[in-house]
Amino acid sequence: MPSLYSRALENLLLPAHNVARGRDFVRHRKFLETSQWWPPEKLREFRWKETRALVEHAFRTVPYYQKKYAGIRLEDIRTPEDYARLPVLRREDVNAHRAELRSTAYRGKLISHATGGSSGVPTRFYITIESYDWRTACTERVYAYTGCRLGERTLFLWGAPVGKLPEWKKWKVKAFETFRRQLVINTFSQSEEKWREILTRAVRYKPKLVVGYISSLEGFARFLADSKHKLPGVRAVIAAAEPLFPPTRALVEKAFGAPLFNTYGSREFMSIAGECENHSGMHVNSENILLETALPAPAGASDILVTDLHNYGMPFLRYAIGDVGVLDDSPCACGRGLPRIVSIEGRVLDVLRSASGRVVPGELIPHVMKDIPEVLEYRVTQTSLERLEMEAVLSTELSEKSRKILDSEIHKAFGSGTHLEIRRVSEIPRLASGKRRVTIGLPA
Ligand SMILES: [Zn+2]
């Protein structure tokens, strides 16, 4: 039975806000609630219609694609198979051609975003409000797979904004979190003492849902198990952003006394896929995202390619996101027609450590790097408890401001005993597998 607040939020507050501000979150959320149960053919048809419209938009109004696809006629792209022959878009392309990737016809507001690059190449891009409303509607649908509703108390074991926020922005964030009933706790610096403090706040808050980076969930679960504490009333746990292995799932589920739902997303597209109650792969948000793999499924894991169907300001077509996976189009026992990602590899981020015994999730690094505009590519290696070494390919020398942000974020997470040394390089060699490793911890 959803709480009174959830019902008020879903049926009254958010619809009123959306009407007043001309926003589409509520409309998309309703649509997605229905469309997830469509048969696969109907979903495929919808997806192709949206893809085709986006391709046409790209051909007509995006200088980058007009150049890249020279020699290909729009009329030649008649089927998904034709589309699958178009060349792939890479992070490096986005960075080199950001301006030309913008549509000349889009008149709405573009919101600037960045990713620190879980594969080591930070990327800057734009999204539109229309796309943002699709994305948040997708996120909420994935969260709803847990059975929890919008506005139910949710604890986030997450990161904090980089740098110093102005006072008004702090208020805005706080108001949003209260409105949505979210308690967001920074877990980029982990120690027994921190976990104890988080437990006290969490017990007082009484969350129904817990969302976190896998390394944060794992750290907190281990603390709960070791100290024989419980966090009563949790109905589900949502994991994000890192590969999840069976022992971690078991540990987290036992410590929280609730099932774990894995999700897959990225800063470029937000929510991409999430597990349903059957926990057999992750359902792709395929009304908003066309997800392909470079090779068909029987060939095994291959590059995941994303087409972002509703960002008309800066269209991403067949973007290699840097992960490798396997797609499964067979029906899921839950009855949803959405395809699934059944295996995902990539995002190998080692845990880092501080001299004072704190544990720092590798996610800290891309989280901070998204705000350092000079860095084109990087890798951070921990050489001792007191020293981190960053190899970085830079567009220009680091500014005073960037260097300050880096130092202060490192000190926040590690304490003042750990120093970050930056070494400018012209290239960062890949692993034999072709993948990049973003953080390399001390040998266990
Ligand atoms: Zn399912």
Side-chain angles (χ1 to χ4, degrees):
M1 183 73 176
S3 70
L4 203 60
Y5 186 75
S6 286
R7 277 185 284 168
L9 192 63
E10 284 175 353
N11 302 322
L12 219 65
L13 300 173
L14 281 170
H17 166 270
N18 274 213
V19 169
R21 305 292 298 270
R23 299 288 291 272
D24 284 320
F25 166 81
V26 172
R27 188 165 68 84
H28 294 326
R29 180 69 191 89
K30 276 207 177 109
F31 168 73
L32 294 173
E33 197 53 35
T34 309
S35 59
Q36 63 181 330
W37 305 106
W38 285 355
E41 314 79 68
K42 190 170 171 184
L43 279 161
R44 260 198 294 274
E45 222 170 87
F46 176 84
R47 194 156 65 231
W48 177 239
K49 188 174 73 84
E50 302 296 278
T51 308
R52 188 60 220 219
L54 182 71
V55 173
E56 195 172 327
H57 174 73
F59 263 81
R60 297 204 195 291
T61 75
V62 181
Y64 173 77
Y65 292 113
Q66 286 169 338
K67 240 182 264 165
K68 184 165 180 159
Y69 297 164
I72 306 172
R73 292 179 319 161
L74 185 58
E75 304 81 77
D76 294 336
I77 306 168
R78 270 176 300 196
T79 63
E81 292 71 35
D82 297 334
Y83 179 70
R85 279 192 286 271
L86 289 177
V88 166
L89 176 68
R90 304 207 172 268
R91 285 211 154 103
E92 292 80 357
D93 301 330
V94 175
N95 285 336
H97 305 280
R98 194 162 48 243
E100 299 148 85
L101 268 160
R102 287 167 57 164
S103 160
T104 52
Y106 184 78
R107 295 283 169 262
K109 190 179 163 207
L110 291 173
I111 311 161
S112 171
H113 269 257
T115 155
S118 53
S119 61
V121 181
T123 310
R124 272 151 257 281
F125 51 93
Y126 297 99
I127 69 163
T128 64
I129 297 274
E130 294 81 16
S131 170
Y132 184 75
D133 283 345
W134 272 103
R135 290 157 181 237
T136 46
C138 287
T139 304
E140 290 304 333
R141 177 171 72 183
V142 163
Y143 280 19
Y145 292 160
T146 63
C148 290
R149 298 273 288 263
L150 211 68
E152 297 203 274
R153 290 176 183 275
T154 306
L155 168 68
F156 284 83
L157 300 179
W158 226 227
V162 172
K164 248 188 132 131
L165 284 189
E167 232 20 67
W168 67 269
K169 209 159 185 184
K170 271 194 215 156
W171 272 99
K172 206 174 152 185
V173 170
K174 190 88 209 121
F176 176 84
E177 288 170 4
T178 310
F179 179 63
R180 298 295 290 269
R181 292 221 166 144
Q182 300 179 343
L183 175 64
V184 183
I185 298 183
N186 178 8
T187 50
F188 275 152
S189 183
Q190 304 173 356
S191 64
E192 170 113 11
E193 189 192 333
K194 284 259 172 192
W195 289 132
R196 210 168 284 284
E197 188 189 310
I198 291 170
L199 177 67
T200 308
R201 290 179 70 189
V203 166
R204 211 179 303 139
Y205 192 69
K206 301 190 184 69
K208 294 252 187 309
L209 183 64
V210 177
V211 182
Y213 289 120
I214 288 170
S215 52
S216 300
L217 293 171
E218 194 177 3
F220 194 41
R222 193 155 282 139
F223 164 78
L224 289 174
D226 292 349
S227 63
K228 305 214 168 12
H229 277 100
K230 288 246 176 298
L231 186 56
V234 175
R235 294 215 306 259
V237 179
I238 291 179
E242 294 162 90
L244 173 67
F245 300 105
T248 308
R249 186 190 284 268
L251 170 78
V252 171
E253 292 191 332
K254 186 154 184 253
F256 286 93
L260 184 147
F261 293 75
N262 198 14
T263 64
Y264 174 51
S266 78
R267 286 203 46 104
E268 291 96 320
F269 311 111
M270 290 173 62
S271 179
I272 295 175
E275 265 178 25
C276 69
E277 61 279 14
N278 278 302
H279 306 279
S280 56
M282 294 182 275
H283 284 291
V284 178
N285 291 315
S286 78
E287 302 91 332
N288 187 47
I289 274 177
L290 166 68
L291 201 143
E292 304 167 87
T293 44
L295 300 170
S302 62
D303 275 328
I304 292 179
L305 306 176
V306 176
T307 300
D308 188 13
L309 296 174
H310 299 112
N311 186 8
Y312 273 57
M314 183 169 178
F316 276 54
L317 270 59
R318 311 199 76 228
Y319 175 70
I321 196 166
D323 296 319
V324 166
V326 177
L327 263 180
D328 185 351
D329 221 356
S330 71
C332 177
C334 71
R336 290 180 182 86
L338 304 164
R340 285 170 292 158
I341 309 176
V342 287
S343 143
I344 185 116
E345 296 160 30
R347 306 172 176 226
V348 190
L349 292 163
D350 280 3
V351 154
L352 305 171
R353 293 171 197 284
S354 81
S356 56
R358 293 187 210 169
V359 170
V360 179
E363 279 70 31
L364 172 78
I365 305 297
H367 181 76
V368 174
M369 295 310 287
K370 71 183 188 309
D371 292 305
I372 312 295
E374 301 89 351
V375 175
L376 300 175
E377 198 177 333
Y378 64 91
R379 174 167 64 192
V380 170
T381 307
Q382 180 145 35
T383 51
S384 74
L385 288 173
E386 291 80 28
R387 195 162 164 276
L388 298 166
E389 186 185 296
M390 183 195 291
E391 296 155 275
V393 182
L394 302 175
S395 56
T396 58
E397 273 309 321
L398 276 187
S399 68
E400 187 82 3
K401 185 178 162 210
S402 293
R403 181 71 233 201
K404 264 201 185 125
I405 291 179
L406 280 169
D407 287 340
S408 92
E409 293 298 320
I410 292 295
H411 288 162
K412 251 196 254 173
F414 290 83
S416 54
T418 302
H419 179 71
L420 175 74
E421 195 165 297
I422 299 168
R423 199 151 59 79
R424 190 170 179 176
V425 295
S426 59
E427 192 194 8
I428 292 172
R430 310 258 174 127
L431 298 177
S433 65
K435 281 208 78 79
R436 299 183 174 98
R437 235 167 124 196
V438 173
T439 63
I440 300 175
L442 287 171

